[in-house]
Amino acid sequence: MEPDQGWIDALGELREREEPCVLVVVTAVKGSAPREPGARMIVAAGDLVHGTIGGGNLEKLALERAAALLADAGAASTSVDFPLAEAAGQCCGGSVTLFFEPYRWRRPTVAIFGAGHVGQALAGLAPWLKARVLLIDGREEDELRPRVPRERPYELRCVGAPEAEIDELPADALVLVMTHSHALDLELVARALTRGAFPYLGLIGSERKWARFQKRLVQRGFTPEQLARVRCPIGATRTSKDPAAIALSTAAELASHLALAPTGPA
């Protein structure tokens, strides 16, 4: 008999919806037990959504343990022994070891400030980056050029004060500054440096632009150590000034940071 592989599809669907869940696997059995090693079930939102480990009180206890794992943001994978008679009140007489693996599906965040040519080209690579991409601009959507497509794999935010969005980002967000205004670029970099150590803070522009910015930021009291956290120019390699080429080079640079971000099981 072919092993059931449906749990893989079920996990994939939950990942697409970014719905936290726990995979429960029977890893060992002693004596009589309702299911064999390898049996699996998936728990989401406190309920059974796929498979079974045998029903009864054992499954009820496993559901409760899975729900508790998801409620604890710091909880990691764990194995638990269940003597069926004593712990589960079942008459099988054996014992079962269950492995609980929580999946929280937290995608890393990439925040792009500036919905111009490069910003839109980079945001369009969101599926390849496998990240939650925010494209943030201080202009109204109908003012943006090029026009933003209706179907887009990223979230567009048109807000009056883009710099305020810095404070709402996760601490591990990757931040890129590339607006239509050098003055706004400066404010965004200053706000990001004040907020804390984002793992990546990139500023579009030349070495000359960054040299001017550094002088102004030093006047505001920022230290050389803080300024060293800013990546300018951005991109894994120096390419042409074509927006698509800059976006691809920048995406390649971001990839090394995104590879370190937790996106799967806790």
Side-chain angles (χ1 to χ4, degrees), residues 109-111 169-175 198-200:
T109 297
V110 175
L169 295 175
D172 59 353
L174 309 186
V175 179
F198 290 113
Y200 181 93

Side-chain angles (χ1 to χ4, degrees), residues 75-261:
S77 303
T78 185
S79 288
V80 182
D81 295 323
F82 291 90
L84 294 178
E86 294 88 340
Q90 295 184 206
C91 60
C92 300
S95 66
V96 173
T97 301
L98 300 179
F99 177 68
F100 295 81
E101 186 168 26
Y103 289 79
R104 295 187 174 88
W105 308 128
R106 189 177 63 81
R107 291 186 298 167
T109 297
V110 175
I112 304 168
F113 288 86
H117 291 273
V118 178
Q120 288 191 40
L122 181 57
L125 296 173
W128 181 81
L129 291 171
K130 294 182 172 61
R132 172 180 174 243
V133 175
L134 306 177
L135 186 59
I136 303 166
D137 202 286
R139 297 166 291 180
E140 296 294 330
E141 183 173 344
D142 59 6
E143 296 179 285
L144 300 178
R145 296 296 183 275
R147 294 191 180 277
V148 181
R150 290 187 178 182
E151 297 295 326
R152 48 195 182 234
Y154 53 85
E155 178 184 343
L156 175 66
R157 293 184 182 177
C158 293
V159 294
E163 62 275 16
E165 297 294 306
I166 292 284
D167 298 334
E168 304 302 319
L169 295 175
D172 59 353
L174 309 186
V175 179
L176 296 108
V177 177
M178 49 180 69
T179 78
H180 63 292
S181 164
H182 280 209
L184 180 54
D185 282 354
L186 181 64
E187 293 305 317
L188 286 165
V189 170
R191 189 73 165 251
L193 289 174
T194 301
R195 162 73 193 277
F198 290 113
Y200 181 93
L201 174 55
L203 170 67
I204 198 169
S206 63
E207 287 90 349
R208 185 177 178 182
K209 174 182 176 179
W210 178 227
R212 292 199 304 269
F213 272 36
Q214 288 184 82
K215 289 180 181 179
R216 296 173 185 174
L217 290 167
V218 167
Q219 291 171 353
R220 294 191 182 193
F222 290 99
T223 66
E225 290 75 20
Q226 287 177 300
L227 299 182
R229 294 182 356 226
V230 180
R231 172 72 170 173
C232 182
I234 57 175
T237 59
R238 298 295 168 260
T239 75
S240 74
K241 295 183 179 181
D242 177 72
I246 297 172
L248 286 169
S249 180
T250 304
E253 185 171 74
L254 294 178
S256 62
H257 294 273
L258 292 170
L260 302 176

